[in-house]
Amino acid sequence: MKAVFLNGSLKDSSHISNTDALADEVMQIWEEEGVQVEKIRLADYNIPYGVADDLGEGDDWPAIQAKVEEAELVLLGTPVWLGEKSSMITKAIERLNGSASHTNEKGQGIYYDKVAGVVATGNEDGAKHAIQSIVFGLSHLGFTLPPRPNCYWVGEAGPGPSFIEAEGIKSEFVQKHIPKLAYNMLHVGTILKENPIPTKGNT
């Protein structure tokens, strides 16, 4: 089974990402279970704005889209800014939407039988608001969401230390939700791989 993580941090890979650190905990479980994992820091690529699968010369999105189409598990990660998901992850969802009308070999949407989940980090409130927007968008596009499809950490209101500096990994809440997200995504992904969504009424 393959998994891809799309990190919507506003910082490229030359900077440490708190969202990446939380997602690593989920992906470590997957790797221990034999899942092939790939991480993509969206800020490393030229991804123009638009609701399209390919916006022409210089657009790096088509290669990322191909990775999503190859994966059974798709994890999105976002920092929380002003109570909202990042503009980078918004852009990614818009670009995913650009291929939503494409179909697989059975005539279903290309995101059918793919399982999605979300991780979010921030140093103030808004994680649930950001996650609910992402989860609805992914579900509407055709992804399947398992129980407990998210894991998040936020610090105290106002400026303060972020996930890594605050040692958010030690949070009892985070420790409980990392395996729920990881194993529930993996379990539902295994079910769909062995028993795909029927074509009746879905083409």
Side-chain angles (χ1 to χ4, degrees):
M1 189 173 289
K2 292 183 179 180
V4 63
F5 169 52
L6 304 183
N7 185 349
S9 171
L10 301 182
K11 300 172 289 188
D12 64 27
S13 292
S14 65
H15 299 85
I16 293 173
S17 164
N18 289 281
T19 305
D20 195 57
L22 177 53
D24 276 344
E25 300 294 325
V26 176
M27 291 183 287
Q28 181 179 337
I29 292 174
W30 287 344
E31 289 177 329
E32 291 171 354
E33 295 294 331
V35 178
Q36 180 181 334
V37 175
E38 182 169 0
K39 300 197 297 183
I40 297 175
R41 183 81 71 93
L42 296 173
D44 291 342
Y45 299 90
N46 178 46
I47 305 173
Y49 288 99
V51 183
D53 57 351
D54 190 339
L55 290 172
E57 185 176 355
D59 183 7
D60 291 333
W61 178 258
I64 297 172
Q65 175 71 31
K67 299 290 186 182
V68 171
E69 293 182 23
E70 292 171 1
E72 288 88 7
L73 308 178
V74 181
L75 183 64
L76 273 64
T78 184
V80 179
W81 296 108
L82 301 175
E84 299 283 351
K85 61 185 181 296
S86 76
S87 57
M88 189 64 72
I89 211 68
T90 297
K91 185 193 297 185
I93 294 171
E94 289 169 346
R95 296 304 302 271
L96 287 170
N97 191 21
S99 294
S101 62
H102 296 185
T103 56
N104 60 24
E105 66 279 359
K106 298 184 293 184
Q108 297 171 314
I110 57 170
Y111 303 126
Y112 269 50
D113 300 322
K114 298 184 183 300
V115 181
V118 184
V119 295
T121 61
N123 64 358
E124 53 189 312
D125 202 8
K128 288 182 178 178
H129 174 73
I131 290 167
Q132 71 179 6
S133 173
I134 297 171
V135 165
F136 170 77
L138 295 173
S139 176
H140 184 72
L141 293 178
F143 290 91
T144 297
L145 281 298
R148 305 283 187 177
N150 68 87
C151 182
Y152 68 90
W153 179 91
V154 288
E156 295 182 359
S162 295
F163 179 72
I164 297 173
E165 183 183 355
E167 297 185 313
I169 190 58
K170 295 182 179 179
S171 161
E172 181 180 352
F173 179 85
V174 171
Q175 284 293 317
K176 287 174 58 178
H177 282 77
I178 287 171
K180 288 179 181 179
L181 173 59
Y183 284 113
N184 286 351
M185 284 186 67
L186 182 58
H187 181 63
V188 175
T190 301
I191 290 173
L192 292 175
K193 194 173 181 69
E194 297 174 354
N195 300 278
I197 296 172
T199 57
K200 186 175 182 179
N202 279 294
T203 58

